[in-house]
Structure formats: C-alpha cells, structure tokens
Amino acid sequence: MNRRAAGVGAIKNRNLAQAKFKYKGSEIAENQIVQLSKQLESFKGNLEEFASKHKDEIRKNPTFRGQFQEMCAAIGVDPLASSKGFWSELLGVGDFYYELGVKIIEVCLATSHRNGGLITLEELQSRLIASSGKNKQDISLDDLLRAIKKLKDLGNGFKVIPFGGSFLVQSVPGELSLDHTTLIQQAQGKANVSVSSLTSDLRWEEQRAKRALDDLLKEGLIWIDDQDKSGHRLYWFPGLFNENVTLKV
C-alpha cells in the first residue's frame, strides 16, 4: 500500500517537473521571439536608411540592385510586392521592374512569330538593351528573372525554364512536359534535333520522339528542315539560335 502511494507521488512529482520545464521553455521561446522581433525591426530600419542613402546606385547599378534584393529577402522584405508603397516611393524599384515587365512582353510578342514564344534569357537581355536607344540602362539577368516572376501573376503565360547554365523564357500559354524539356536540352549548342539523334542519344523509341516533336511543332516552337545534307529531317528551335546560326526572317 505504501509502495503504491509512493509510486503515485513519484508520478505526480514527475508530471509537475515536466509542467515546470514546459512553462520555462515557453517563457524562453517567447523572450527569444521578442528579442528577434526587435532585432528584425532594427535591421529593417537600418535597411531603410541604407536604401535612402544609396537609392540612385540601387536604381542604376544592376549588381548593387541584386545585392540589395538579397538583403531584403533575408529579412522577408519584398520591394517588388507592389508598384505603390514605401519602397516604390523611396526607390522606384517597383516601377522599374513593372516597366521592365512591359518591355519584356513587347519583345516576346515581337519575336514570337519566329521563335514560337521561346527565347533565351541572353537574347532577351540584348534586345532590351538595344531597344533602349540612347538612354541605355544596365539590365542584368537577375533583373529579368525578377521581372518575369512578377509577370507570372498575370496568369499562365510567362515561365522560366532551366537551360544549361542559363534559362529560356516561355511567353506563350501551355505546359511543357518532361519529354518536351528534354528535347530542348538536347538541342543545346546546335539548336536542332532529329528523330535518329533522339533514339540514339536518349534511347527513346521512335514513336515517343515523334510524338514529343509533333507537340512542339503544333505550338510553333520548332521548324522542320528537310534539306540537310545528312538526309535526316531536322527539327530546329529558332528560339535557341545565336550568333553562330544565321536566320533570315
């Protein structure tokens, strides 16, 4: 009987100790959150002061602008969340990216007749810089990626596709399957593929290769070339053409 009472008492003491530990843990966690919130507010204040002092450089220098974006992301601040508001009024970066987004749409529309809505990030960058005329503004690839990310809010249309060490920009509605993306990756460096190269390099069945190519052909992303010296039908990706490929449009 005494042993049973002692056992019950031990359980009560253990439960009481656990409750105290839990309370103390919650108290410590709350204090840490309060301290962290204070540090975060202080950092935000310092960031605003920094942005105010260097706003001209942030607007003009793409490298500096990218570093500033990283600083903001580290504390959960998004200067591009709206074209209106504190950051936009202070820096004008919101307006910068929204205006850049409009220019991106214009370039993609102007080139879609030849590339089907698929363009390399580098070509997009060079066309934007060339179109700015005398008032040329430095536009980095990071700027383009951030502006395109905002364009996604418009719906299914703009998408960034990893391509080698860079990206392709898809500006037309439609989902690319894994096979479609594999075809694009396979065309890297030469801008074309053939059914025979796909069956040889990827070990695909001929029917699978033709089905994927037909899908891209219907979307206008590839062109057919039956005049190659090899005798094979080539499927060209005009969106992957570079200075090494001559294209007459």
Side-chain angles (χ1 to χ4, degrees):
M1 190 71 176
N2 290 336
R3 183 181 300 173
R4 183 178 180 183
V8 171
I11 293 174
K12 288 182 177 180
N13 290 335
R14 185 169 66 248
N15 290 341
L16 182 61
Q18 288 176 346
K20 288 182 178 179
F21 278 123
K22 186 176 180 180
Y23 175 78
K24 192 63 178 177
S26 298
E27 185 180 13
I28 293 173
E30 288 177 2
N31 290 335
Q32 288 177 338
I33 291 174
V34 170
Q35 291 298 322
L36 187 61
S37 297
K38 289 181 179 179
Q39 291 175 3
L40 195 59
E41 286 301 318
S42 175
F43 193 71
K44 281 184 178 181
N46 292 334
L47 184 63
E48 291 172 6
E49 183 179 352
F50 173 86
S52 181
K53 289 181 179 179
H54 300 280
K55 61 181 179 181
D56 290 337
E57 192 168 3
I58 291 173
R59 281 199 296 262
K60 296 177 181 178
N61 188 321
T63 303
F64 202 83
R65 191 162 53 241
Q67 293 172 345
F68 174 72
Q69 293 281 3
E70 292 177 2
M71 290 170 59
C72 290
I75 60 169
V77 173
D78 184 6
L80 308 184
S82 172
S83 61
K84 297 180 179 180
F86 172 78
W87 291 104
S88 178
E89 292 175 1
L90 176 64
L91 301 175
V93 290
D95 290 336
F96 168 81
Y97 283 105
Y98 279 90
E99 290 170 5
L100 180 58
V102 172
K103 294 177 182 177
I104 289 172
I105 293 174
E106 291 174 349
V107 170
C108 289
L109 287 175
T111 58
S112 62
H113 72 282
R114 80 164 178 85
N115 59 30
L118 199 64
I119 187 172
T120 64
L121 200 63
E122 288 77 12
E123 182 185 352
L124 179 59
Q125 181 189 39
S126 64
R127 285 180 175 272
L128 285 168
I129 293 175
S131 66
S132 61
K134 295 180 180 180
N135 299 321
K136 286 188 177 181
Q137 184 174 21
D138 288 335
I139 301 172
S140 69
L141 297 180
D142 181 72
D143 287 334
L144 295 180
L145 291 173
R146 293 182 188 279
I148 293 169
K149 183 179 179 182
K150 292 303 171 184
L151 289 177
K152 290 181 181 179
D153 296 339
L154 298 177
N156 187 25
F158 279 84
K159 191 177 302 181
V160 173
I161 304 169
F163 181 70
S166 185
F167 298 92
L168 292 173
V169 179
Q170 181 187 354
S171 59
V172 292
E175 291 292 332
L176 293 179
S177 69
L178 180 59
D179 279 3
H180 300 153
T181 305
T182 302
L183 286 181
I184 296 171
Q185 297 285 354
Q186 193 69 13
Q188 185 177 1
K190 54 185 179 178
N192 70 74
V193 295
S194 66
V195 173
S196 60
S197 69
L198 296 175
T199 55
S200 174
D201 298 341
L202 300 178
R203 300 290 188 266
W204 282 8
E205 294 182 359
E206 184 174 324
Q207 184 179 4
R208 178 182 181 182
K210 287 183 175 179
R211 182 171 58 248
L213 288 166
D214 285 343
D215 290 342
L216 297 183
L217 190 61
K218 291 176 183 177
E219 294 294 333
L221 295 176
I222 56 177
W223 292 354
I224 291 177
D225 177 11
D226 287 326
Q227 300 180 2
D228 189 70
K229 295 179 180 179
S230 67
H232 295 292
R233 168 175 283 188
L234 297 183
Y235 296 84
W236 288 88
F237 289 80
L240 304 185
F241 285 6
N242 54 37
E243 65 275 8
N244 299 318
V245 181
T246 301
L247 176 66
K248 296 180 180 180
V249 292

